[in-house]
Structures are given as structure tokens and as C-alpha cells.
Amino acid sequence: MRLSALTSGLLALASFSRAAEIIKRAALTQVSSFGANTSGTKMYIYVPDMLAANPPIIVAIHYCSGTASAYYSGSPYARLADQHGFIVIYPESPYSGTCWDVSSTAALTHDGGADSNSIANMVTWTIAQYKADSSRVFVTGLSSGGMMTNVLAATYPNMFAAASAYAGVAAGCFYTGTTAGWNSSCSGGTSIHSQTEWANTALNMYPGYTGPRPRMLINHGSADTTIYPQNFNETLKQWAGVFGYTYGSPQQTIAGSPSAEYTKYVYGPNLVGVYGTGVTHNIPINGDQDLAWFGITGSTTTSSSSAVATLTPKPTSSTSSTTTLVTSTKVSTTSAAASTTSAAAGGCTAAQWAQCGGSGFTGCTTCKSPYTCKFSNNWYSQCL
């Protein structure tokens, strides 16, 4: 009788154990040794239980005051990794306040030894450890992480196939020459430069490189008062110059995409801007859009990658309008250039939060009632 009861109890326990195993989810895990890491950047990784063969990698970079754990919990990439079998790397800034170093010469130089180099070494380690597909490595980030996304696209264009930056700035815009510098002219949207100047800033972060570059998706909100919306224009200028497009002349302008408050500016297969009217610095992360842009789901005009079809269990494993632009290790100062926009000429009205004036602005200067055009600075006025 006792044997029977014990047997029944063991069977019940085994059944419970199997059920727990089935619902168990992979965990965010810290990797303490992944290669050269002179900045002390921390590495965390999420490897789903069902991993695609030769999986893609997404590097997801947190905001100032954020952590790897917070971005793991607050962004959609780990949940999407469970569905599609890719790996997510979550770097964590080593600095007080956890902003990223996007302001030093080292950070803005290929193999310069700063945060950007540490993150690149995380990718190299992950490719080797999990036999990941080196041709399908992607990067995305929010705010300071969005700034680092643009920096990585410029310093390691050979590593990333595509990028999606949220509420960031052009690569090099935040340069101060210090590791933890804050560039107020950049964040305030007064670092205005020509397409050529911005493009050269990015190109000079990896001198001599002539290979392919990551396709860029730039996301920003018109009501962002932390990283001002003019940075959307300046970032588009930079990548338009890199890819040979003409800033202010997108091939398509699609209202209401991906949702009602956004407008999508399609410059070509390598550059798309997504601008949210009334969207603040707390811009929503659109994981589904990012995966489509990366080619992990669906396809893009320049990618033959399709959605992951086969998943297998993962293996166990051991203040002026002039800014200083950095050009590799050489620093040069350039004067501001006029900003342009693709908005229609006179006879139109601008919606709430839209730009309505500024040096070189050629769009709508009359705001839709009851809003008025409020002066912010010589380069930016907004309908408020």
C-alpha cells in the first residue's frame, strides 16, 4: 500500500516536473568574458529555448538610466525571439547614469576600444558560441541607445546588416571629446550641418572601408523635448549622404504608416524615416516593424532573408549652431548649414507639434487652429 502510494506520488511529481519544463522560459544571462572590454561594458544575452539554425542576432541597447534587465523586460525583442528563434544581446553601460559613450574619440572610431568596440566583441563572441549567421546581425536602441545604434552603424558597418534607431542623433553629433559628455547643442537640435558634412562624419569613423553598410530605419517624435525633433532631420541627412540619396526628396511619403500618428519617408531600400506627430521622447518601440525591416519576418526590398522556418532546441553552453564633428582621430570644426524639409510650400497648414519655422525651413509656416507657431531657437519653431 505504501509502495503504491509512493509510486503514485513519484509519477505525479514527474508529471509536474515535465509540465514545469514545458512552460519554463529561457532567462536573461550575463556573460562575464566575451573578449576585449576596456570600457567595462556588461554583456547580457537572451537565447530562446527554441533556437533557429544559424540564428540571427539583434543587439538591443538601453536608454540613459536603463539597464540590460530593464530593456529586456520593457522592449519586445525577447518575446519575439521566443517566436522566431533569434538571439538578443543586451549590453549594459558601465557609467554612472548608464548613458552610453557616444561622445569620445575612441567611441567614434572603429576598434577604438570604447563601448562601441566592446559591443562589437559581444557580437563576435555570440556568432562563434552559437554558430549565428554573421550576415544577419542587427542593432536597435532607444534614446542614448538610439545614439549608439547610429554610432555602431558608422564604426562597424561590416558587422551589421540593418539598424533601427529610436529618438537618437546622428553619429558624431554628441561628440565632446570626453567619455561621459553631454552635448546640449546636439540634444537641443541646434547642431545643423549639411548632408555632406554629416555623411563624412560617419564615413570617417572607419577610414578606408568601402564595403556594404547597414540599412537604416530612423524613428523620432515631433513632441520630443529631450532629444529635439530636428535630430530626425539631421540623422536622415547623414544616412542620405552615405547612401547617395538627396535629403528632403524621399521617393515616397506615406501618411498613417505604421499607424495613424506616423508618417513614413522612404528614401530608398537603405533608408526610411518614421516621424510621429505628437509622439514624445517616450516613443513606442515597434518590434514587429523592426523585425520586418531586418528581414527576420517577411522580406525587404534589399534582403532575401525570410521568416525563420525551423526552430530547434538551443545547445547547452559552457550651445551654439556650430558643433565639433569627429573624423576618426582627427577633429575638425565646421560651420552650420541650413536645414531643409520636404514639406509642401506655402498655402498649407502644419498640425500640432509639427515644425513651422527655422533657418532654411521651407515647409508650412502657418499652424492649424488653434495652434500657433512658437519660436524655440533660430533653427526650430513648432506648432503648439
Side-chain angles (χ1 to χ4, degrees), residues 362-379:
T362 59
C364 305
T365 56
T366 300
C367 296
K368 182 178 179 180
S369 179
Y371 308 108
T372 57
C373 191
K374 300 289 187 179
F375 175 85
S376 295
N377 52 57
N378 290 335
W379 299 270

Side-chain angles (χ1 to χ4, degrees), residues 180-205:
W182 182 267
N183 190 317
S184 296
S185 61
C186 179
S187 64
T190 62
S191 293
I192 314 295
H193 292 270
S194 71
Q195 172 175 307
T196 299
E197 288 170 334
W198 279 128
N200 286 338
T201 298
L203 295 173
N204 286 330
M205 291 183 191

Side-chain angles (χ1 to χ4, degrees), residues 115-167:
D115 294 355
S116 53
N117 180 235
S118 294
I119 294 172
N121 290 336
M122 294 177 193
V123 172
T124 301
W125 181 90
T126 303
I127 291 171
Q129 185 75 9
Y130 293 97
K131 296 181 173 57
D133 188 343
S134 62
S135 70
R136 293 196 295 163
V137 178
F138 312 102
V139 60
T140 182
L142 171 64
S143 190
S144 183
M147 299 180 193
M148 179 56 81
T149 296
N150 283 308
V151 167
L152 286 169
T155 53
Y156 292 92
N158 56 318
M159 178 168 284
F160 298 99
S164 178
Y166 290 86

